[in-house]
Amino acid sequence: MKHTMEATLLQRLGLEETEIKVLAGILAWKSRTGSIVGNKKLFEDLQRKLLSCQGVSYIITPNQSLDRHEIEGYLFVPNENVWIQANVPIPNVIYNRVPYYQHEKSEKFDQFKQDALRKGIPFFNSSFLDKWSTYQLLSQHEKIREHLPDTIEVKDEETCFQFLRRYSCIYAKPKLRSKGFGVMRIRLKQDGKIYCETTSTTILFANFTRFWERFYTTFEKNQYILQQAIEPKTYKGRRFDLRILGQFTGSGFNMTGIGVRQSFHQEVTTHIPKGGRIIPFSRVTHMTPVQQLEELTQMIGKELNKAFGVFYEFSIDIGLDENQHPYLFEVNAKPMTFDEEEIESKRMQQLCTLFIRLYQQK
């Protein structure tokens, strides 16, 4: 494969000039101060693995042109444990890791994405996923539908109150945020009082009108959905969720691994940044329908790609009810680093294999 990377740079990376199999551009974002915004650990782990597969990755940003021979890149040099800035060739594949939804709505991101498609550069993943659009899509699928909690958009007070009356306990979630940010659990008591639990506090309201007066601007500003609460399966008295990593393998989607997150400091969410904790999958394997989850992962991957563009990697949050029936809470287009080393290692290997395959198939 021809390339124009400087020989001295390749030497620092420990690569022979003629042996590079793929150049992978990791699309991130540059802040106003000039620093790169993104998942640094994931980028470093990916570079280490890709170098072992005779490939190179580097961070690029969408405020540059793909019509040149070179582009400004940021490379991690594992042997020296340093990041360096350098002029690098236009990548063979682009891995979208732009960190925030607002960035993807910018004109420069859209132009960069269109330029990549025009030049025939494989571009994945296409974009963040909107919880409501994803629900609407998946609820049309006969087999996936039975794994979805009832969900509505927040529109007006009466609609929301009737939804709460129907289920007594519901979750409110922003359409476009992850990691448990903005999530609240809302309970309607028999006396009409409303208990609203966030990851940090519990607020009691005399009635739903008082609750609505307090939160309707939040709902409006952040575009919320309401989701039926599922009575969860517990382990040692505390709820747990499954974090499943799905990846494209060339012909379909496979379940790369299952992580387990358990509520600890609060019961609203199991996300680690919000006080959840990791427990080994081996502790809940006996109560997990693994084959069913494998099939669900395959179906979700296929539907996402048919409707929203290219999604070669995604994670799904699954809860089990008391009958071990899986419920799909959320689909994430840009999975964070899995704390489970075995899952993350498989993930990196599959990404590298896919980068090389996509370039070879061009």
Side-chain angles (χ1 to χ4, degrees):
M1 181 184 109
K2 293 183 180 180
H3 57 78
T4 57
M5 292 190 74
E6 292 182 5
T8 53
L9 182 54
L10 289 173
Q11 189 174 22
R12 291 177 71 177
L13 293 171
L15 283 179
E16 296 290 335
E17 289 226 18
T18 58
E19 292 299 317
I20 299 177
K21 292 183 178 179
V22 70
L23 299 172
I26 304 172
L27 190 61
W29 197 262
K30 184 180 284 190
S31 71
R32 291 177 181 175
T33 61
S35 60
I36 297 298
V37 183
N39 189 330
K40 182 182 176 185
K41 183 181 187 309
L42 185 146
F43 301 161
E44 292 178 354
D45 289 347
L46 182 56
Q47 176 74 317
R48 290 189 183 96
K49 190 63 181 178
L50 194 55
L51 286 171
S52 74
C53 298
Q54 296 179 306
V56 180
S57 66
Y58 37 81
I59 294 173
I60 56 177
T61 57
N63 56 341
Q64 302 177 81
S65 172
L66 291 173
D67 289 324
R68 301 175 180 175
H69 294 297
E70 290 187 322
I71 193 170
E72 181 182 79
Y74 300 83
L75 296 90
F76 178 63
V77 184
N79 292 336
E80 303 171 27
N81 197 34
V82 296
W83 283 89
I84 59 173
Q85 183 177 340
N87 289 328
V88 293
I90 299 300
N92 310 129
V93 298
I94 294 175
Y95 180 40
N96 178 17
R97 294 296 307 193
V98 168
Y100 297 111
Y101 169 77
Q102 296 92 322
H103 295 161
E104 286 192 345
K105 291 301 178 184
S106 68
E107 186 177 336
K108 62 183 177 181
F109 174 86
D110 185 62
Q111 185 62 56
F112 188 91
K113 182 178 177 180
Q114 294 305 317
D115 288 347
L117 297 175
R118 174 175 52 82
K119 294 177 71 69
I121 303 173
F123 186 100
F124 71 96
N125 293 323
S126 290
S127 64
F128 281 101
L129 290 170
D130 173 317
K131 290 183 180 69
W132 177 240
S133 299
T134 304
Y135 173 80
Q136 288 180 300
L137 169 71
L138 298 180
S139 63
Q140 296 172 28
H141 190 285
E142 184 179 359
K143 292 186 178 179
I144 300 176
R145 186 188 307 136
E146 63 188 53
H147 298 285
L148 299 175
D150 193 9
T151 303
I152 64 169
E153 276 188 295
V154 172
K155 289 186 175 179
D156 54 63
E157 180 180 355
E158 181 60 23
T159 303
C160 294
F161 179 60
Q162 293 304 326
F163 191 76
L164 178 58
R165 281 188 61 186
R166 186 183 312 158
Y167 295 111
S168 297
C169 183
I170 61 175
Y171 278 88
K173 300 178 178 181
K175 289 183 186 179
L176 287 160
R177 300 207 70 180
S178 58
K179 305 180 198 174
F181 287 106
V183 174
M184 58 185 79
R185 183 166 61 175
I186 308 160
R187 294 177 181 273
L188 174 62
K189 299 298 182 180
Q190 287 186 340
D191 59 5
K193 292 180 180 177
I194 303 294
Y195 281 83
C196 175
E197 301 168 81
T198 69
T199 56
S200 58
T201 188
T202 299
I203 310 172
L204 174 64
F205 295 91
N207 52 52
F208 190 80
T209 298
R210 296 294 188 200
F211 164 82
W212 184 257
E213 289 171 350
R214 167 66 176 79
F215 283 109
Y216 85 93
T217 52
T218 300
F219 291 158
E220 190 175 69
K221 180 181 178 182
N222 295 288
Q223 301 180 55
Y224 268 68
I225 60 167
L226 299 180
Q227 191 176 78
Q228 167 195 3
I230 303 300
E231 192 62 36
K233 195 80 175 169
T234 60
Y235 174 76
K236 292 191 174 179
R238 289 191 174 273
R239 60 167 288 196
F240 67 90
D241 294 338
L242 306 174
R243 300 281 192 277
I244 296 174
L245 178 63
Q247 290 182 296
F248 186 66
T249 59
S251 58
F253 291 86
N254 281 356
M255 188 169 64
T256 302
I258 304 177
V260 185
R261 303 293 179 265
Q262 186 177 39
S263 62
F264 189 56
H265 293 297
Q266 44 75 30
E267 286 288 319
V268 176
T269 177
T270 62
H271 290 283
I272 302 300
K274 298 300 180 183
R277 65 178 178 182
I278 301 165
I279 63 173
F281 179 56
S282 58
R283 295 185 186 176
V284 299
T285 305
H286 64 286
M287 61 178 83
T288 303
V290 176
Q291 182 58 40
Q292 196 173 20
L293 296 178
E294 181 77 62
E295 294 169 359
L296 192 56
T297 302
Q298 293 168 2
M299 291 187 291
I300 290 170
K302 184 180 289 187
E303 292 304 303
L304 291 179
N305 279 265
K306 281 197 300 187
F308 297 141
V310 178
F311 287 90
Y312 288 132
E313 177 185 55
F314 58 91
S315 65
I316 51 181
D317 295 351
I318 293 281
L320 304 177
D321 68 10
E322 286 297 332
N323 298 315
Q324 299 177 10
H325 180 79
Y327 279 92
L328 173 63
F329 295 146
E330 195 168 322
V331 184
N332 300 298
K334 298 178 186 179
M336 301 302 290
T337 302
F338 272 69
D339 294 286
E340 293 84 355
E341 290 184 8
E342 182 182 0
I343 297 175
E344 194 64 12
S345 177
K346 289 181 180 178
R347 174 193 187 182
M348 291 296 118
Q349 181 61 61
Q350 182 54 35
L351 278 175
C352 294
T353 300
L354 191 54
F355 289 157
I356 294 169
R357 180 183 291 133
L358 286 170
Y359 176 59
Q360 291 175 342
Q361 289 176 349
K362 280 180 62 177

